[in-house]
Amino acid sequence: MNDHRLNVNGNSHGDNSNGLAFGIALVSKAFNMKTYNNLYSKIISLENLYLAYRKAKKGKTKKQYVTDFEANLKENLLLLQSELIFHIYLPKPLKIFILCDPKTRKISKSNFRDRIVHHALCNIIEPIFEKTFIFDSYANRKGKGTLAALNRLDEFKRKVSRNGKTKGWFNNNQVRGYCLKADIKHYFETIHHGILLSIIKKKIKCTRTLWLIKRILANYSTKEGDVGMPLGNLTSQFFANVYLNELDKFVKHYFRAKYYIRYVDDFLILHFSKEKLEQWKNEINSFLQKKLKIELHETKSRVIPLNRQIPFIGFRVFYYYKLLKKFNRKNINRKLENFRILFSKNKISYDKIYISMIGAFAYMKHANTYKFRKNVSKKMENIFANQISHVETSKYIQNSM
């Protein structure tokens, strides 16, 4: 499948000392896009705030903070709207907790009313930026996700290997070609607020909308000042794509790289030539440092032959098959054990456990995990003997009709 969003013609760039500057200028010129004003009234309309509230409470309807907000829903939405109208809205402090999966991550949880504001903002501005994103950016976008990214990688591997054989790069019985596997060092912690705002301003000229974005960004900062975004926020996920869309455009327009995939800060470029990828790696790192004030992770950014495993979004991707990473298998077993403990203490229903494990099994099916899934299924049967969920009951009734 070709990327129809970025149809770039012309000869490949040559090596020259001004190449990076030319690439930055080329990207900037190519994306001199339509701008938007007067968005704020749409963001803070009661209709949009109510839609945002519905999205924010999804999957959390029984949480106390949701029921408390709903007890006076109209009054709470009107109060939130008035704060936004008069520019006195101030996000509440984030709640911080540590998650180990297996890396230690600091997750920041916003207050429920602030999450409503995040949804209200994204409802209006996300469609504007979505039009500018490349096809092969797969995180936090409708119709994308991990499965689509893995399928695209399979497609790219075949094309690189097949094209290399056609052009005489290697023999027909060999799996050859290379992949630049890279990610950004401490990405969310190093996103520069000023640079992010300058990127957003290329599209958004509405001063009141920019004020709201600044308020949201200012609710989180590191020792370095106006740097960093909290993991866990809807706006953080969206802004992360906006920020690295600059990298996407650079790779697609300056390098004219055909086989490029990005999932948040984890990205791949496939090519026949190892030397070309090594060159691109250095130029990308230079671009990131100069343009976005971020940098590649030294130990996690390397060129890998396609006949070796490629670690990507929780999977070990080989040319002919995929495996789950060890820590993901451990996490699934740990999750099941936690469910056992909570269920024994009557702190969780089997319905919730069943629905959660359906998601886990769907994730496992992305890889060659038949034996592992069978093992997990047996564990569930042993732990939750004689239990049946409403989902299973409904399926049985429907199949019996």
Side-chain angles (χ1 to χ4, degrees), residues 282-336:
N282 293 331
E283 292 189 49
I284 285 171
N285 201 32
S286 181
F287 171 84
L288 292 173
Q289 290 173 346
K290 293 178 181 179
K291 180 76 173 179
L292 301 176
K293 294 187 179 179
I294 54 179
E295 60 182 346
L296 294 180
H297 198 295
E298 292 180 6
T299 58
K300 294 182 180 180
S301 302
R302 62 192 187 278
V303 176
I304 305 169
L306 290 183
N307 61 3
R308 302 281 297 276
Q309 66 164 305
I310 302 169
F312 186 53
I313 51 179
F315 294 86
R316 297 161 61 202
V317 181
F318 296 83
Y319 191 83
Y320 293 108
Y321 61 93
K322 305 177 191 70
L323 299 175
L324 282 177
K325 285 186 176 179
K326 288 183 180 179
F327 73 78
N328 281 336
R329 296 200 301 271
K330 288 181 180 178
N331 278 350
I332 290 169
N333 282 319
R334 192 182 300 119
K335 184 178 187 178
L336 192 56

Side-chain angles (χ1 to χ4, degrees), residues 57-70:
K57 79 164 189 173
K58 190 175 181 179
K60 303 173 180 67
T61 53
K62 294 183 179 180
K63 295 287 186 180
Q64 188 62 47
Y65 58 78
V66 175
T67 55
D68 288 345
F69 193 90
E70 285 180 330

